Amino acid sequence: MQPEHCGTRNHIEVWNERVLPPGAVQLRFRAVLRGSLLPILVWVGIACFVHFVYDPVMTAVLSGLFACSFALGFGLRRRAGHSARCSIYGALGGVLDKSMAGF
């Protein structure tokens, strides 16, 4: 895969597509985060709820689940031949996208 085509909207799915520019253009990390504000807020809200209602250990377990999902997505993208930058963006966007699939 050519490096100039790796960081495009075709490879990085963001939950809220309205913030993405039209066509296949290079994305910045800010666009990935801005497009994923709702899933990020949901993850943080659930972590805060679990921390106060249950135990801080459960928050660590939830954070570990997020980290494992991110690492798996990163590894799969690197194995598919994507650049490290594209793999990081895609793994973050993928975890946030798939976690919001039920909503």
Side-chain angles (χ1 to χ4, degrees):
M1 180 172 303
Q2 297 175 355
E4 64 267 13
H5 295 103
C6 195
T8 64
R9 71 182 286 133
N10 299 332
H11 301 354
I12 301 169
E13 292 295 325
V14 183
W15 192 76
N16 186 353
E17 294 179 6
R18 292 179 299 202
V19 300
L20 294 176
V25 297
Q26 193 98 15
L27 290 178
R28 295 177 181 237
F29 190 65
R30 181 180 293 169
V32 175
L33 289 180
R34 194 174 69 180
S36 303
L37 278 179
L38 181 62
I40 290 170
L41 291 175
V42 169
W43 271 95
V44 170
I46 290 172
C48 289
F49 176 77
V50 167
H51 176 76
F52 289 115
V53 172
Y54 293 106
D55 194 16
V57 173
M58 292 302 293
T59 305
V61 170
L62 184 64
S63 300
L65 175 67
F66 183 86
C68 287
S69 300
F70 178 81
L72 178 66
F74 179 80
L76 290 174
R77 284 171 176 78
R78 287 297 289 166
R79 183 174 289 190
H82 294 275
S83 68
R85 177 182 175 195
C86 181
S87 297
I88 290 171
Y89 290 5
L92 178 63
V95 169
L96 295 173
D97 178 45
K98 300 305 182 236
S99 67
M100 294 300 291
F103 295 108

